[in-house]
Amino acid sequence: MTDAQRAAQKAGSEPGPEAAGPPGTADTTAQGMSIVARSQGQLVRRRFFRHKGAMVGLVLFILVVGLAVTSIGAGPIPGWWDKTPTATATAVDGGRPTLSVIPEFLGGGGIHLGEHPFGQDNIGRDYFALTMRGAQVSLVIALLVGLIATFVGTVIGAAAGYFRGWTESTLMRSSDVLIAVPTLLIAGLIGTMIAGRGIVLFGVFLGLVTWMQTARLVRGEVLSLREKEFVEAARSVGTSSRRIIFKHILPNTIGIIIVSVTLAIASAVLLETGLSFVGLGVQPPDTSLGRLISDYQTALGTRPWLFYWPGVFIILIALSVNFIGDGLRDAFDPRQNRVRD
């Protein structure tokens, strides 16, 4: 066999560039694992959607929000339920719930909503409509608190971690003072001062006094990132501190920030419930889930449905948001740097 024949045989036995396949396709390693090259965003999404608890929480949260918004409507958007939270009527059968979930072949009354699925209150208002309105208000307040607290905490934590010195001392000592005071006490004072001025203002003020945990988390992450090579390189070419913080450092803390939002929302639901329960939250004529529990706490022994329906929705909202937060935390975990098919 000539040298030319040997070269031709060798070239035929080795795959050429056309056999390698396009970038991003699976490659088989020596251990027999199929590994796919993916971007960081793809890895995060894949880990999140594979998290069973997060998926359960996401479905529950979407169902609760969808039911609260579509049933009685929101603003100019009409709802499919024919009763409003303020309309009164004569209580039927002592205001008992007409919801039935037991099929007839099991000895129940069949599956149906009835005229008043959650029952009626003292003056004949439909309790399903009241609960849906309470869920809407609680969700709005919780979202406002979560977003504002996370934004304020992120800015303060980033400034403290990056500038250090007197800036860090001032901001962190202020945070220590606010942490030392019970959150419920501060929120109660705010509720007293702005009582009856609307749920938006109430949510904004609550967000302005619940940013401390987020600030501490972001500060710790920024303290680590400010010493990295890419930050030093940005400083060496004269990049401003504001640009370094917002363009280089904060994008690398997005995982902590997103998780902080979900945890802040879950905490805000319980905070609003506690404040409304003691009469320092949402004020009549509006209502919230916590307000409903407060108004009808004495009915627990005689008409328990007036107490446990708002409680069920509080638990569903808090649990679903916490499950979503757990899934996001695991998805952004940098130690999980490989996703297997």
Side-chain angles (χ1 to χ4, degrees):
M1 183 180 293
T2 64
D3 293 339
Q5 289 174 331
R6 293 192 186 95
Q9 184 178 3
K10 183 178 180 181
S13 63
E14 294 178 357
E18 67 277 6
T25 56
D27 179 28
T28 304
T29 66
Q31 291 78 15
M33 294 186 300
S34 180
I35 300 176
V36 180
R38 294 185 177 90
S39 67
Q40 181 65 24
Q42 290 174 323
L43 290 173
V44 170
R45 287 194 298 271
R46 191 175 179 84
R47 287 195 291 261
F48 177 73
F49 286 114
R50 284 188 169 190
H51 195 287
K52 295 180 181 179
M55 290 299 97
V56 172
L58 184 62
V59 171
L60 281 177
F61 187 74
I62 292 174
L63 289 176
V64 170
V65 173
L67 182 63
V69 172
T70 62
S71 58
I72 61 173
I77 303 175
W80 49 264
W81 191 242
D82 61 350
K83 298 175 181 62
T84 64
T86 56
T88 60
T90 303
V92 180
D93 191 22
R96 295 181 180 277
T98 59
L99 175 66
S100 176
V101 294
I102 302 177
E104 293 182 358
F105 66 87
L106 294 178
I111 300 176
H112 59 81
L113 291 177
E115 188 71 15
H116 302 284
F118 288 5
Q120 293 172 280
D121 68 354
N122 300 333
I123 56 177
R125 292 180 296 182
D126 181 66
Y127 208 58
F128 175 77
L130 273 174
T131 303
M132 293 302 101
R133 176 56 186 169
Q136 287 183 2
V137 172
S138 295
L139 285 168
V140 169
I141 293 175
L143 290 173
L144 282 173
V145 173
L147 294 175
I148 292 173
T150 302
F151 175 78
V152 175
T154 298
V155 172
I156 291 177
Y162 182 80
F163 293 109
R164 303 295 301 273
W166 66 268
T167 302
E168 181 184 25
S169 298
T170 302
L171 294 176
M172 289 299 99
R173 296 301 77 76
S174 301
S175 173
D176 292 340
V177 170
L178 290 175
I179 289 178
V181 180
T183 303
L184 192 63
L185 177 59
I186 300 176
L189 293 174
I190 292 175
T192 303
M193 292 186 294
I194 63 173
R197 298 187 181 181
I199 61 174
V200 174
L201 190 62
F202 181 64
V204 169
F205 273 90
L206 284 185
L208 292 175
V209 297
T210 54
W211 50 264
M212 293 78 71
Q213 296 297 335
T214 301
R216 285 180 168 272
L217 290 173
V218 174
R219 169 183 167 271
E221 193 71 11
V222 172
L223 283 174
S224 173
L225 291 172
R226 72 188 299 272
E227 307 299 334
K228 298 294 184 180
E229 291 81 0
F230 67 91
V231 175
E232 293 294 338
R235 288 198 197 100
S236 66
V237 296
T239 306
S240 65
S241 298
R242 182 178 64 85
R243 184 173 180 83
I244 290 175
I245 292 174
F246 288 99
K247 296 294 184 180
H248 298 284
I249 294 181
L250 286 184
N252 287 282
T253 65
I254 190 66
I256 288 179
I257 294 172
I258 291 177
V259 173
S260 295
V261 170
T262 59
L263 296 179
I265 290 173
S267 299
V269 171
L270 301 178
L271 178 61
E272 183 278 325
T273 299
L275 288 174
S276 297
F277 184 76
V278 298
L280 299 175
V282 178
Q283 301 296 318
D286 213 339
T287 190
S288 69
L289 295 176
R291 186 78 199 185
L292 289 174
I293 291 179
S294 175
D295 289 343
Y296 300 107
Q297 57 180 309
T298 57
L300 183 60
T302 56
R303 291 178 297 168
W305 58 87
L306 297 178
F307 188 87
Y308 62 64
W309 281 120
V312 166
F313 277 85
I314 290 171
I315 293 172
L316 288 177
I317 294 172
L319 283 180
S320 63
V321 175
N322 273 319
F323 286 157
I324 293 171
D326 288 342
L328 289 171
R329 181 194 59 203
D330 294 344
F332 280 101
D333 188 351
R335 292 171 295 181
Q336 303 182 38
N337 54 11
R338 175 175 290 181
V339 176
R340 299 179 183 177
D341 290 334

